Amino acid sequence: MIQATNVNKYFDQFQALSDLNLNVRKGSIYGLVGTNGSGKTTIIKHITGVLRQDGGSVTIEGVPVFDNTAIKARMGFIPDDLFFFATYNLTEMGKFYKELYPNWNQERFLKMIESFGLDKKRKLAKFSKGMQKQAAFILTMSTMPDYLILDEPIDGLDPVVRKLVWKSIVDDVADREMTVLVSSHNLRELEGICDSIGILSGGRMMIERDLDELKSDIHKIQVAFADTADGETGGAGAPESFDGAEPESVGTDIAGQAGHPDRYEGLNVLHRESRGSVDLLIVRNRKEDVESVIGQNKPLVFDMLPLSLEEIFIYELGGEKSEYQSILF
């Protein structure tokens, strides 16, 4: 298990991490997401033993990571900024890794080079950025790591190679119970691969949940009632579906928008917008509670629509009109 407890880190007067807690279960794939500057790379450098925290603890299997060569020998780390010896080719880098990692698997190394179609005799400095990412992945996976830490691992890779990378990771998780922590801005891809998600903002862990549990507790709701606040009466043809392009918001805050505010009393409404007699709400509550509160007012239309991880990320960090939207789209 990878565990960070109340971690604080300062760079001069700037606090990069603030009482940050993180828990990655053995044999799971954990997605670490956040805006630029939220602290993702900083906490990764603590987990990999590159940085020492100013407060709190960072442990793997209950022992501190920093300056722990035994743990690091079982850890694979692919940073966003790669480094290779300028004159080395892939074969020579393989020999170097073999000297460092006791579980090096030469057979796997050669098979992966063939699968990815790389030239093992060409200098790595001559590779494109995407090819260097592939080379780093091959080298790291050939060490047979028990813990795999990835910082933007698929940046610059084409869809075919990305699929091959994820397949290799998932196979090792299934076969060897490898534990994976991956930081990425590609939330669509993380949604299909991760068991748990941690959302960082301003050096703090805002949310850390199993992905299925997280998605079950936040909902997009489309609702319309037969009567509206201005006395109009809705009909079967009045509501317009939001499944597709979403309308622009026509309201202000919840208390001042059209409709009956008390109809949603008791719900944790993260966002609300209206178009005619139809309200679109994002709420963080159990499904049963949402159905109970809204159902008692006998809505004309009541649909609970699925939320993607991207949408959850946006609404949790300030709403769909916030600066965070530009990071994702």
Side-chain angles (χ1 to χ4, degrees), residues 11-305:
F11 295 104
D12 295 326
Q13 300 303 312
F14 174 70
Q15 187 168 9
L17 301 177
S18 180
D19 293 324
L20 189 145
N21 293 286
L22 178 148
N23 300 275
V24 185
R25 297 188 307 271
K26 178 178 173 59
S28 69
I29 302 178
Y30 183 105
L32 187 64
V33 301
T35 59
N36 293 325
S38 62
K40 299 188 302 296
T41 297
T42 302
I43 189 59
I44 283 176
K45 287 182 177 179
H46 283 77
I47 291 169
T48 54
V50 176
L51 295 177
R52 175 184 284 175
Q53 66 276 10
D54 295 320
S57 64
V58 180
T59 61
I60 292 180
E61 298 178 0
V63 296
V65 176
F66 189 79
D67 214 19
N68 189 328
T69 55
I71 286 291
K72 291 181 181 181
R74 299 166 51 207
M75 179 190 299
F77 174 40
I78 304 179
D80 189 26
D81 296 323
L82 302 174
F83 172 80
F84 298 106
F85 297 121
T87 60
Y88 275 33
N89 58 33
L90 194 48
T91 298
E92 291 165 332
M93 282 301 300
K95 292 178 181 178
F96 178 75
Y97 270 62
K98 184 178 180 179
E99 294 298 317
L100 295 176
Y101 293 94
N103 295 325
W104 175 263
N105 188 323
Q106 183 68 17
E107 181 181 359
R108 182 179 211 185
F109 177 61
L110 296 175
K111 285 183 177 179
M112 290 190 73
I113 291 175
E114 183 178 353
S115 296
F116 280 83
L118 296 183
D119 184 351
K120 61 185 178 182
K121 295 184 179 180
R122 184 181 177 186
K123 288 183 180 180
L124 291 165
K126 300 293 185 180
F127 278 10
S128 68
K129 182 179 178 181
M131 293 170 68
Q132 288 181 349
K133 282 267 185 177
Q134 295 174 56
F137 182 73
I138 291 169
L139 289 163
T140 301
M141 293 298 285
S142 297
T143 68
M144 306 299 288
D146 293 322
Y147 296 91
L148 180 64
I149 315 298
L150 306 170
D151 193 359
E152 297 292 342
I154 57 174
D155 183 35
L157 302 182
D158 65 62
V160 174
V161 174
R162 290 205 304 267
K163 185 175 181 180
L164 191 56
V165 166
W166 288 126
K167 183 181 185 304
S168 298
I169 292 172
V170 171
D171 285 348
D172 269 31
V173 171
D175 296 341
R176 303 192 296 108
E177 286 193 287
M178 180 176 69
T179 303
V180 182
L181 184 147
V182 52
S183 169
S184 177
H185 279 119
N186 193 326
L187 273 68
R188 288 188 178 92
E189 214 139 26
L190 289 185
E191 186 171 7
I193 203 78
C194 291
D195 304 304
S196 303
I197 291 290
I199 300 179
L200 294 184
S201 180
R204 295 178 179 271
M205 182 65 73
M206 306 302 292
I207 298 173
E208 185 181 59
R209 304 274 292 279
D210 285 348
L211 182 56
D212 289 342
E213 182 182 348
L214 177 64
K215 294 178 72 173
S216 70
D217 284 350
I218 184 168
H219 313 278
K220 181 191 296 184
I221 298 167
Q222 178 179 295
V223 61
F225 299 93
D227 60 313
T228 61
D230 56 10
E232 293 179 359
T233 301
E240 182 176 339
S241 173
F242 285 95
D243 190 10
E246 294 181 1
E248 294 184 359
S249 175
V250 297
T252 54
D253 58 22
I254 292 173
Q257 289 182 344
H260 297 270
D262 60 317
R263 284 173 168 163
Y264 309 123
E265 186 176 356
L267 296 180
N268 184 6
V269 180
L270 302 179
H271 170 75
R272 175 180 167 186
E273 63 184 48
S274 301
R275 176 185 260 182
S277 61
V278 181
D279 283 349
L280 176 68
L281 301 94
I282 306 296
V283 300
R284 192 197 297 122
N285 292 93
R286 293 187 308 160
K287 180 180 179 181
E288 296 80 5
D289 295 336
V290 176
E291 291 174 336
S292 175
V293 170
I294 294 182
Q296 66 185 357
N297 291 296
K298 298 180 172 55
L300 185 65
V301 171
F302 179 27
D303 294 322
M304 298 184 72
L305 308 175

